[in-house]
Amino acid sequence: MKTDFLQISNGEAIKREKIPHLSFDAFYRDALSIVRVGGKVVHYFAYSDKGATKLMAVLRKDKLKVASCDAPDVYPSMTSQCEPFHMFEREIAEQYAIRPEGHPWLKMVRYHANFLNRPDVFGNDYTQDIPGNIDYYGVDGEEIHEVAVGPVHAGVIEPGHFRFNCIGERVLNLEIQLGYQHRGVEKMLPGVDPKRLPVIVEGIAGDTAVGYGLCMSQAVEALSSLQVDEGAQIIRTIALELERIANHVGDLGALSGDVAFLPPANYFGRMRGDFLNMTLLICGNRFGKGLVRPGGTRFALTEGVRKTLNDRIFELTPQVKHVINLLLTNASVQSRFDDCGAVTQADAEKLGLVGPAGRASGLPYDVRRCFPTGHYGQLNIPGNAKRTGDVHARATVRGEEILQSLDIITTLLGDPVETRSIENRKVSLAPSSFVVTLNEAWRGELSHCILTDADGAILRYKVKDPSFHNWNGLSMALRDTEISDFPLNNKSFNLSYCGVDL
Amino acid sequence: MFNILKNRLDQGYKTTGYPNEKIQLPPRYRGRPRINRQAPAEVIAECAAACPQDAIDVSGTLIDMGRCVFCGTCERISKGRFISFTQDFEISVSEKEHLVTDGGLPALADHSRQHFKKLFGRSLQLRQVSAGGCNACEADLNVLATPFFDLARFGINFVASPRHADGIVVTGPVSNNMKTALLKTFEATASPKVVIAVGSCALTGGPFRGSPEIAEGLDSILPVDLFIPGCPPHPLTNLHALLTFFK
């Protein structure tokens, strides 16, 4: 199939003039034709350029493709014909007041005034600071009841609102409304002092600080032609895999706790800390904040650090294996995990699920294998796809990925490569340029996109957390599931609130 | 069953002896800053200019630990001649002005309110509210419930409802969209109650200061009794603060 979209590479800077600027009709036709035959949306966003509002889409199939167009004030919604555009069209409507006519569920994403001070698409009054003060998807009927949960939840977790429509214990529909964590990140980033950029980006979602730092750094490196040496690439890979292990281990513990099987809950909880402490050993911060910077990493692996890491991985690997085995072979755990909250592959395709949640539903996509950067091109990342799409599949995928990541780290630690640590440096970005970077963070495809203006200043910084795709997967998992299984399903996805809210 | 028992034996006993035993954190951990006031003026100015958080006061040679994210940029640039970070994680304070420091900190125990110790010394139930937090502070509070720290052995717990709580622990820069929910949670907590601010965001807005979508410091909204700095604070920093302030 021939389209006018331009093929690009992950982390490759190109001049903006090279990006096909299509008529809206051609843009619309091509974008739909790519996504309808299995393509996915990586980015679809609006930006302002010299007073004009424009739309840009980065799509992926086996390659990445990009195009832009002038934004009309109103246009026929793509979502009504092709589901993966759903959240993106809502975000564009909220940020730039462009109305997708005929959108099946046109509702704000985060509850904030648009960037252009134009009339609000949703008719919201933002002097009222209550994002919960809005309508929800409702179900009518004599025995239907609604359950409203949040924004403040019963655990030590981030805020969000969940609205269940139930008949008895059975959930007919779950609607998830976020926005409580909105800090105005995308509005802040273009004008901000460059020295603040890494610290802000790492704070967008602190549980994915390495992934965020990496996406930002690779984008800045591409725009300023900075080279990263092999040693730093390896440290970045180790840090990203440690982040994956720590979070997956923690989530398996939480899943275990939710089905009241306490031994793995406690063991995993403790071991998660052991993995965070390895990141602490490398860079002085348990979440890897301050490690990845444009040009390399701020900390090198000394012989002592490398040896300690090696010893700890060696000690922990059998423990992790045993506890995963303890969890996944226990009969009472299996009976709770199996068939719970299944998302079919067809639904996962339409929602565009990514990461472990997508792989659990049969979508093998993994940025590390499909669009590798840094050291990942030299690694052999397995497919991991499962068929059942239930809690058991999501837990199994996590378990397998923990072991694969342990293997990757062991291999990398065994082959010392020198690097020099770098400090935050002043860089000048190429003017009138564009770059998109993708990384497989622990929740899935994380992507940043930077557009620069004629002076090399950041014109638009677009962030997409994998959770932006996956929250609707959780809604889908809850359909026809007992409401008491919500916590278990929620943990099996463990999505980011702040990564979506920005 | 055999598998469960075997794993239990494998795991052994992991709980820390802290606070009775000292813990040494790894050398790259950055805790309480140490300041050399005699450092050359140009070095101090260079550090202040490079600090991503603008946390360095040049004229007073002070650092604001509320703003600081402990990235260590100043230490690297000055090669330790102006600021160096020690491995001391016991850095919480009860008055906001104590966050702006020349490296010295008042002993937290001397500043804790005696009536809190009397009321909550044997049992302290806390409700956590994330108000724009990035999930790092939240995660390092959550970890206090794991076997290594085992917070419950001190009679301190995180509870599910503000009605069951003696106070709230707030993380994040208090996004506008969370302000109402935060205030309602505070109101729902029974008096007398404590308010604890955790992390650079809750202390000063952290990395997001300047954004119109947040409050710059929880203390502009609620009376704060205990300030725990860090980005995020190490779990031991949290543990030390809770034990010293309330026990």
Side-chain angles (χ1 to χ4, degrees), chain A residues 231-248:
Chain A
Q233 301 281 24
I234 288 175
I235 296 170
R236 288 174 170 194
T237 309
I238 291 172
L240 192 66
E241 296 308 318
L242 277 176
E243 185 169 88
R244 189 180 327 278
I245 296 172
N247 282 295
H248 284 354

mmCIF file with all atom_site columns, all heavy atoms in Angstrom, chain A residues 231-248:
data_model
loop_
_atom_site.group_PDB
_atom_site.id
_atom_site.type_symbol
_atom_site.label_atom_id
_atom_site.label_alt_id
_atom_site.label_comp_id
_atom_site.label_asym_id
_atom_site.label_entity_id
_atom_site.label_seq_id
_atom_site.pdbx_PDB_ins_code
_atom_site.Cartn_x
_atom_site.Cartn_y
_atom_site.Cartn_z
_atom_site.occupancy
_atom_site.B_iso_or_equiv
_atom_site.pdbx_formal_charge
_atom_site.auth_seq_id
_atom_site.auth_comp_id
_atom_site.auth_asym_id
_atom_site.auth_atom_id
_atom_site.pdbx_PDB_model_num
ATOM 1   N N   . GLY A 1 231 ? 30.355 2.094  26.242 1.00 0.00 ? 231 GLY A N   1
ATOM 2   C CA  . GLY A 1 231 ? 30.258 1.831  27.684 1.00 0.00 ? 231 GLY A CA  1
ATOM 3   C C   . GLY A 1 231 ? 29.000 2.457  28.271 1.00 0.00 ? 231 GLY A C   1
ATOM 4   O O   . GLY A 1 231 ? 28.295 1.842  29.078 1.00 0.00 ? 231 GLY A O   1
ATOM 5   N N   . ALA A 1 232 ? 28.710 3.689  27.861 1.00 0.00 ? 232 ALA A N   1
ATOM 6   C CA  . ALA A 1 232 ? 27.520 4.372  28.379 1.00 0.00 ? 232 ALA A CA  1
ATOM 7   C C   . ALA A 1 232 ? 26.246 3.680  27.886 1.00 0.00 ? 232 ALA A C   1
ATOM 8   O O   . ALA A 1 232 ? 25.262 3.563  28.628 1.00 0.00 ? 232 ALA A O   1
ATOM 9   C CB  . ALA A 1 232 ? 27.528 5.836  27.954 1.00 0.00 ? 232 ALA A CB  1
ATOM 10  N N   . GLN A 1 233 ? 26.258 3.208  26.634 1.00 0.00 ? 233 GLN A N   1
ATOM 11  C CA  . GLN A 1 233 ? 25.089 2.477  26.118 1.00 0.00 ? 233 GLN A CA  1
ATOM 12  C C   . GLN A 1 233 ? 24.813 1.255  26.980 1.00 0.00 ? 233 GLN A C   1
ATOM 13  O O   . GLN A 1 233 ? 23.659 0.918  27.252 1.00 0.00 ? 233 GLN A O   1
ATOM 14  C CB  . GLN A 1 233 ? 25.337 1.998  24.661 1.00 0.00 ? 233 GLN A CB  1
ATOM 15  C CG  . GLN A 1 233 ? 25.635 3.092  23.662 1.00 0.00 ? 233 GLN A CG  1
ATOM 16  C CD  . GLN A 1 233 ? 24.390 3.827  23.189 1.00 0.00 ? 233 GLN A CD  1
ATOM 17  O OE1 . GLN A 1 233 ? 23.379 3.838  23.888 1.00 0.00 ? 233 GLN A OE1 1
ATOM 18  N NE2 . GLN A 1 233 ? 24.479 4.462  22.035 1.00 0.00 ? 233 GLN A NE2 1
ATOM 19  N N   . ILE A 1 234 ? 25.884 0.602  27.406 1.00 0.00 ? 234 ILE A N   1
ATOM 20  C CA  . ILE A 1 234 ? 25.706 -0.605 28.217 1.00 0.00 ? 234 ILE A CA  1
ATOM 21  C C   . ILE A 1 234 ? 25.155 -0.261 29.591 1.00 0.00 ? 234 ILE A C   1
ATOM 22  O O   . ILE A 1 234 ? 24.243 -0.926 30.089 1.00 0.00 ? 234 ILE A O   1
ATOM 23  C CB  . ILE A 1 234 ? 27.048 -1.375 28.304 1.00 0.00 ? 234 ILE A CB  1
ATOM 24  C CG1 . ILE A 1 234 ? 27.319 -2.023 26.940 1.00 0.00 ? 234 ILE A CG1 1
ATOM 25  C CG2 . ILE A 1 234 ? 27.033 -2.411 29.408 1.00 0.00 ? 234 ILE A CG2 1
ATOM 26  C CD1 . ILE A 1 234 ? 28.645 -2.712 26.826 1.00 0.00 ? 234 ILE A CD1 1
ATOM 27  N N   . ILE A 1 235 ? 25.660 0.827  30.190 1.00 0.00 ? 235 ILE A N   1
ATOM 28  C CA  . ILE A 1 235 ? 25.136 1.224  31.507 1.00 0.00 ? 235 ILE A CA  1
ATOM 29  C C   . ILE A 1 235 ? 23.659 1.588  31.392 1.00 0.00 ? 235 ILE A C   1
ATOM 30  O O   . ILE A 1 235 ? 22.835 1.230  32.236 1.00 0.00 ? 235 ILE A O   1
ATOM 31  C CB  . ILE A 1 235 ? 25.949 2.410  32.072 1.00 0.00 ? 235 ILE A CB  1
ATOM 32  C CG1 . ILE A 1 235 ? 27.389 1.972  32.318 1.00 0.00 ? 235 ILE A CG1 1
ATOM 33  C CG2 . ILE A 1 235 ? 25.328 2.915  33.373 1.00 0.00 ? 235 ILE A CG2 1
ATOM 34  C CD1 . ILE A 1 235 ? 28.320 3.112  32.650 1.00 0.00 ? 235 ILE A CD1 1
ATOM 35  N N   . ARG A 1 236 ? 23.293 2.285  30.311 1.00 0.00 ? 236 ARG A N   1
ATOM 36  C CA  . ARG A 1 236 ? 21.885 2.627  30.098 1.00 0.00 ? 236 ARG A CA  1
ATOM 37  C C   . ARG A 1 236 ? 21.020 1.371  29.978 1.00 0.00 ? 236 ARG A C   1
ATOM 38  O O   . ARG A 1 236 ? 19.918 1.302  30.533 1.00 0.00 ? 236 ARG A O   1
ATOM 39  C CB  . ARG A 1 236 ? 21.744 3.445  28.807 1.00 0.00 ? 236 ARG A CB  1
ATOM 40  C CG  . ARG A 1 236 ? 22.281 4.860  28.912 1.00 0.00 ? 236 ARG A CG  1
ATOM 41  C CD  . ARG A 1 236 ? 22.244 5.550  27.562 1.00 0.00 ? 236 ARG A CD  1
ATOM 42  N NE  . ARG A 1 236 ? 22.525 6.975  27.681 1.00 0.00 ? 236 ARG A NE  1
ATOM 43  C CZ  . ARG A 1 236 ? 22.291 7.863  26.710 1.00 0.00 ? 236 ARG A CZ  1
ATOM 44  N NH1 . ARG A 1 236 ? 21.796 7.463  25.562 1.00 0.00 ? 236 ARG A NH1 1
ATOM 45  N NH2 . ARG A 1 236 ? 22.560 9.141  26.891 1.00 0.00 ? 236 ARG A NH2 1
ATOM 46  N N   . THR A 1 237 ? 21.537 0.388  29.257 1.00 0.00 ? 237 THR A N   1
ATOM 47  C CA  . THR A 1 237 ? 20.780 -0.860 29.094 1.00 0.00 ? 237 THR A CA  1
ATOM 48  C C   . THR A 1 237 ? 20.609 -1.560 30.437 1.00 0.00 ? 237 THR A C   1
ATOM 49  O O   . THR A 1 237 ? 19.509 -2.009 30.782 1.00 0.00 ? 237 THR A O   1
ATOM 50  C CB  . THR A 1 237 ? 21.509 -1.792 28.104 1.00 0.00 ? 237 THR A CB  1
ATOM 51  O OG1 . THR A 1 237 ? 21.801 -1.045 26.921 1.00 0.00 ? 237 THR A OG1 1
ATOM 52  C CG2 . THR A 1 237 ? 20.674 -2.996 27.751 1.00 0.00 ? 237 THR A CG2 1
ATOM 53  N N   . ILE A 1 238 ? 21.688 -1.616 31.204 1.00 0.00 ? 238 ILE A N   1
ATOM 54  C CA  . ILE A 1 238 ? 21.605 -2.252 32.528 1.00 0.00 ? 238 ILE A CA  1
ATOM 55  C C   . ILE A 1 238 ? 20.576 -1.529 33.390 1.00 0.00 ? 238 ILE A C   1
ATOM 56  O O   . ILE A 1 238 ? 19.732 -2.148 34.040 1.00 0.00 ? 238 ILE A O   1
ATOM 57  C CB  . ILE A 1 238 ? 22.993 -2.241 33.219 1.00 0.00 ? 238 ILE A CB  1
ATOM 58  C CG1 . ILE A 1 238 ? 23.953 -3.195 32.487 1.00 0.00 ? 238 ILE A CG1 1
ATOM 59  C CG2 . ILE A 1 238 ? 22.876 -2.632 34.683 1.00 0.00 ? 238 ILE A CG2 1
ATOM 60  C CD1 . ILE A 1 238 ? 25.400 -3.102 32.973 1.00 0.00 ? 238 ILE A CD1 1
ATOM 61  N N   . ALA A 1 239 ? 20.607 -0.188 33.355 1.00 0.00 ? 239 ALA A N   1
ATOM 62  C CA  . ALA A 1 239 ? 19.687 0.593  34.200 1.00 0.00 ? 239 ALA A CA  1
ATOM 63  C C   . ALA A 1 239 ? 18.238 0.385  33.769 1.00 0.00 ? 239 ALA A C   1
ATOM 64  O O   . ALA A 1 239 ? 17.340 0.237  34.606 1.00 0.00 ? 239 ALA A O   1
ATOM 65  C CB  . ALA A 1 239 ? 20.051 2.071  34.134 1.00 0.00 ? 239 ALA A CB  1
ATOM 66  N N   . LEU A 1 240 ? 17.989 0.362  32.453 1.00 0.00 ? 240 LEU A N   1
ATOM 67  C CA  . LEU A 1 240 ? 16.613 0.177  31.977 1.00 0.00 ? 240 LEU A CA  1
ATOM 68  C C   . LEU A 1 240 ? 16.102 -1.218 32.346 1.00 0.00 ? 240 LEU A C   1
ATOM 69  O O   . LEU A 1 240 ? 14.940 -1.381 32.722 1.00 0.00 ? 240 LEU A O   1
ATOM 70  C CB  . LEU A 1 240 ? 16.542 0.390  30.458 1.00 0.00 ? 240 LEU A CB  1
ATOM 71  C CG  . LEU A 1 240 ? 15.137 0.514  29.861 1.00 0.00 ? 240 LEU A CG  1
ATOM 72  C CD1 . LEU A 1 240 ? 14.434 1.774  30.352 1.00 0.00 ? 240 LEU A CD1 1
ATOM 73  C CD2 . LEU A 1 240 ? 15.176 0.515  28.337 1.00 0.00 ? 240 LEU A CD2 1
ATOM 74  N N   . GLU A 1 241 ? 16.981 -2.203 32.270 1.00 0.00 ? 241 GLU A N   1
ATOM 75  C CA  . GLU A 1 241 ? 16.567 -3.570 32.626 1.00 0.00 ? 241 GLU A CA  1
ATOM 76  C C   . GLU A 1 241 ? 16.377 -3.712 34.136 1.00 0.00 ? 241 GLU A C   1
ATOM 77  O O   . GLU A 1 241 ? 15.483 -4.423 34.588 1.00 0.00 ? 241 GLU A O   1
ATOM 78  C CB  . GLU A 1 241 ? 17.561 -4.602 32.085 1.00 0.00 ? 241 GLU A CB  1
ATOM 79  C CG  . GLU A 1 241 ? 17.663 -4.660 30.557 1.00 0.00 ? 241 GLU A CG  1
ATOM 80  C CD  . GLU A 1 241 ? 16.318 -4.822 29.851 1.00 0.00 ? 241 GLU A CD  1
ATOM 81  O OE1 . GLU A 1 241 ? 15.488 -5.618 30.333 1.00 0.00 ? 241 GLU A OE1 1
ATOM 82  O OE2 . GLU A 1 241 ? 16.085 -4.142 28.839 1.00 0.00 ? 241 GLU A OE2 1
ATOM 83  N N   . LEU A 1 242 ? 17.208 -3.031 34.921 1.00 0.00 ? 242 LEU A N   1
ATOM 84  C CA  . LEU A 1 242 ? 17.018 -3.064 36.376 1.00 0.00 ? 242 LEU A CA  1
ATOM 85  C C   . LEU A 1 242 ? 15.674 -2.438 36.745 1.00 0.00 ? 242 LEU A C   1
ATOM 86  O O   . LEU A 1 242 ? 14.965 -2.922 37.634 1.00 0.00 ? 242 LEU A O   1
ATOM 87  C CB  . LEU A 1 242 ? 18.144 -2.302 37.091 1.00 0.00 ? 242 LEU A CB  1
ATOM 88  C CG  . LEU A 1 242 ? 19.448 -3.051 37.343 1.00 0.00 ? 242 LEU A CG  1
ATOM 89  C CD1 . LEU A 1 242 ? 20.479 -2.107 37.957 1.00 0.00 ? 242 LEU A CD1 1
ATOM 90  C CD2 . LEU A 1 242 ? 19.226 -4.246 38.275 1.00 0.00 ? 242 LEU A CD2 1
ATOM 91  N N   . GLU A 1 243 ? 15.326 -1.362 36.038 1.00 0.00 ? 243 GLU A N   1
ATOM 92  C CA  . GLU A 1 243 ? 14.039 -0.703 36.279 1.00 0.00 ? 243 GLU A CA  1
ATOM 93  C C   . GLU A 1 243 ? 12.894 -1.669 35.969 1.00 0.00 ? 243 GLU A C   1
ATOM 94  O O   . GLU A 1 243 ? 11.916 -1.764 36.709 1.00 0.00 ? 243 GLU A O   1
ATOM 95  C CB  . GLU A 1 243 ? 13.953 0.538  35.379 1.00 0.00 ? 243 GLU A CB  1
ATOM 96  C CG  . GLU A 1 243 ? 12.731 1.400  35.601 1.00 0.00 ? 243 GLU A CG  1
ATOM 97  C CD  . GLU A 1 243 ? 12.863 2.731  34.862 1.00 0.00 ? 243 GLU A CD  1
ATOM 98  O OE1 . GLU A 1 243 ? 12.485 2.817  33.681 1.00 0.00 ? 243 GLU A OE1 1
ATOM 99  O OE2 . GLU A 1 243 ? 13.362 3.680  35.483 1.00 0.00 ? 243 GLU A OE2 1
ATOM 100 N N   . ARG A 1 244 ? 13.055 -2.393 34.865 1.00 0.00 ? 244 ARG A N   1
ATOM 101 C CA  . ARG A 1 244 ? 12.023 -3.377 34.480 1.00 0.00 ? 244 ARG A CA  1
ATOM 102 C C   . ARG A 1 244 ? 11.899 -4.467 35.550 1.00 0.00 ? 244 ARG A C   1
ATOM 103 O O   . ARG A 1 244 ? 10.807 -4.792 35.998 1.00 0.00 ? 244 ARG A O   1
ATOM 104 C CB  . ARG A 1 244 ? 12.422 -4.004 33.128 1.00 0.00 ? 244 ARG A CB  1
ATOM 105 C CG  . ARG A 1 244 ? 11.347 -4.872 32.491 1.00 0.00 ? 244 ARG A CG  1
ATOM 106 C CD  . ARG A 1 244 ? 11.791 -5.483 31.152 1.00 0.00 ? 244 ARG A CD  1
ATOM 107 N NE  . ARG A 1 244 ? 12.679 -4.657 30.366 1.00 0.00 ? 244 ARG A NE  1
ATOM 108 C CZ  . ARG A 1 244 ? 12.289 -3.661 29.577 1.00 0.00 ? 244 ARG A CZ  1
ATOM 109 N NH1 . ARG A 1 244 ? 11.013 -3.406 29.450 1.00 0.00 ? 244 ARG A NH1 1
ATOM 110 N NH2 . ARG A 1 244 ? 13.175 -2.944 28.911 1.00 0.00 ? 244 ARG A NH2 1
ATOM 111 N N   . ILE A 1 245 ? 13.045 -4.983 35.975 1.00 0.00 ? 245 ILE A N   1
ATOM 112 C CA  . ILE A 1 245 ? 13.007 -6.073 36.968 1.00 0.00 ? 245 ILE A CA  1
ATOM 113 C C   . ILE A 1 245 ? 12.359 -5.589 38.258 1.00 0.00 ? 245 ILE A C   1
ATOM 114 O O   . ILE A 1 245 ? 11.465 -6.233 38.803 1.00 0.00 ? 245 ILE A O   1
ATOM 115 C CB  . ILE A 1 245 ? 14.433 -6.588 37.275 1.00 0.00 ? 245 ILE A CB  1
ATOM 116 C CG1 . ILE A 1 245 ? 15.066 -7.206 36.026 1.00 0.00 ? 245 ILE A CG1 1
ATOM 117 C CG2 . ILE A 1 245 ? 14.397 -7.612 38.392 1.00 0.00 ? 245 ILE A CG2 1
ATOM 118 C CD1 . ILE A 1 245 ? 16.531 -7.550 36.197 1.00 0.00 ? 245 ILE A CD1 1
ATOM 119 N N   . ALA A 1 246 ? 12.808 -4.427 38.752 1.00 0.00 ? 246 ALA A N   1
ATOM 120 C CA  . ALA A 1 246 ? 12.305 -3.939 40.042 1.00 0.00 ? 246 ALA A CA  1
ATOM 121 C C   . ALA A 1 246 ? 10.784 -3.786 39.997 1.00 0.00 ? 246 ALA A C   1
ATOM 122 O O   . ALA A 1 246 ? 10.076 -4.211 40.921 1.00 0.00 ? 246 ALA A O   1
ATOM 123 C CB  . ALA A 1 246 ? 12.963 -2.611 40.402 1.00 0.00 ? 246 ALA A CB  1
ATOM 124 N N   . ASN A 1 247 ? 10.273 -3.209 38.912 1.00 0.00 ? 247 ASN A N   1
ATOM 125 C CA  . ASN A 1 247 ? 8.831  -2.986 38.838 1.00 0.00 ? 247 ASN A CA  1
ATOM 126 C C   . ASN A 1 247 ? 8.063  -4.284 38.638 1.00 0.00 ? 247 ASN A C   1
ATOM 127 O O   . ASN A 1 247 ? 7.014  -4.486 39.262 1.00 0.00 ? 247 ASN A O   1
ATOM 128 C CB  . ASN A 1 247 ? 8.518  -1.998 37.713 1.00 0.00 ? 247 ASN A CB  1
ATOM 129 C CG  . ASN A 1 247 ? 8.808  -0.563 38.137 1.00 0.00 ? 247 ASN A CG  1
ATOM 130 O OD1 . ASN A 1 247 ? 8.160  -0.036 39.033 1.00 0.00 ? 247 ASN A OD1 1
ATOM 131 N ND2 . ASN A 1 247 ? 9.808  0.052  37.527 1.00 0.00 ? 247 ASN A ND2 1
ATOM 132 N N   . HIS A 1 248 ? 8.564  -5.151 37.778 1.00 0.00 ? 248 HIS A N   1
ATOM 133 C CA  . HIS A 1 248 ? 7.869  -6.432 37.575 1.00 0.00 ? 248 HIS A CA  1
ATOM 134 C C   . HIS A 1 248 ? 7.870  -7.262 38.866 1.00 0.00 ? 248 HIS A C   1
ATOM 135 O O   . HIS A 1 248 ? 6.872  -7.876 39.218 1.00 0.00 ? 248 HIS A O   1
ATOM 136 C CB  . HIS A 1 248 ? 8.529  -7.241 36.446 1.00 0.00 ? 248 HIS A CB  1
ATOM 137 C CG  . HIS A 1 248 ? 8.197  -6.743 35.059 1.00 0.00 ? 248 HIS A CG  1
ATOM 138 N ND1 . HIS A 1 248 ? 7.291  -5.744 34.819 1.00 0.00 ? 248 HIS A ND1 1
ATOM 139 C CD2 . HIS A 1 248 ? 8.642  -7.132 33.837 1.00 0.00 ? 248 HIS A CD2 1
ATOM 140 C CE1 . HIS A 1 248 ? 7.189  -5.536 33.506 1.00 0.00 ? 248 HIS A CE1 1
ATOM 141 N NE2 . HIS A 1 248 ? 8.018  -6.368 32.890 1.00 0.00 ? 248 HIS A NE2 1
#
